[in-house]
Amino acid sequence: MTDGRELLWDGCLNVRDLGGLGQIRPGALVRMEAPTRLSEAGWAAAWAYGVRAVVDLRNAEECEPDWVGRPVGMTVVRAPLDPVGSPFYEHWTKLDGLSSPLHYPALLAEHPELVIAAVRAVARAEPGCVVFHCAGGKDRTGLLALVLLALAGAEADEIVADYLLTYERMKPRYVEMGARDQLTAVRELVAGHGTTVEASLTATIGSLAMPSFLLGNGLSEADLTALQARFT
């Protein structure tokens, strides 16, 4: 259930407020797929909702031009979460295509600096609502959401349910691309490794000691305070 968290921004399918999960207030953080297709009305709705900063988790080569211009005054910060060219990237691209939660523990352990950079971007964003996204709003966006929600004290089942919502919301886009049902595909993939999507996510959440993970990997106390203030 989204409990009214879903947002209707014309041109995108997978937009929702994280408010109401843990200690996060409505209007603080929004997750979505790449906003490339937002119409003028879609961008106007985002601006009216209070969005003043966008954190883009994609690598530069993935970025495509927006269909229409973004509102003047809305800042964009890039914080790529895929360590392209690293042994991690080569290994997990072959193993799960970076399209399942299986790789989350390895990324958190081997490249925490990327996660910290993304969290720092949220903490230091302009006053107002912050949107963060990758391409489909599922895996990289899902990992950052998991980290932020864990810090905010959300229950594991809430975090898992929020992650799973993207598969349903993005179904029309998968059909458009001619792709098979992605939830079925990912469930089969993780089952081949002896687990489930839910169990994999729950294990990752349980392994994160907050805020120790963030502070121990380079987030400053000032940024942590700013982040918690943004939540509440």
Side-chain angles (χ1 to χ4, degrees), residues 105-177:
L107 182 60
L108 290 165
E110 297 177 36
H111 291 282
E113 74 283 356
L114 299 179
V115 179
I116 297 303
V119 171
R120 186 181 293 120
V122 173
R124 296 183 181 182
E126 297 292 327
C129 183
V130 180
V131 162
F132 60 96
H133 71 87
C134 52
K138 178 169 71 72
D139 295 298
R140 287 166 289 187
T141 299
L143 177 58
L144 181 55
L146 183 154
V147 169
L148 295 173
L149 289 170
L151 175 64
E155 298 292 333
D157 60 348
E158 292 180 306
I159 301 173
V160 172
D162 183 68
Y163 173 87
L164 290 171
L165 277 172
T166 290
Y167 290 99
E168 182 65 28
R169 302 299 172 261
M170 290 295 285
K171 272 186 177 180
R173 199 75 79 226
Y174 299 145
V175 170
E176 178 185 309
M177 295 186 297

Side-chain angles (χ1 to χ4, degrees), residues 12 24 32 57 76 97 106 111 126 130 135 140 154 161 170 195 197 199 202:
C12 285
I24 299 178
M32 68 182 298
L57 306 176
V76 178
H111 291 282
E126 297 292 327
V130 180
R140 287 166 289 187
M170 290 295 285
T195 188
V197 172
T202 300

Side-chain angles (χ1 to χ4, degrees), residues 61-73:
E61 60 271 18
E62 296 178 80
C63 299
E64 301 175 352
D66 293 335
W67 287 15
V68 300
R70 302 186 182 196
V72 175

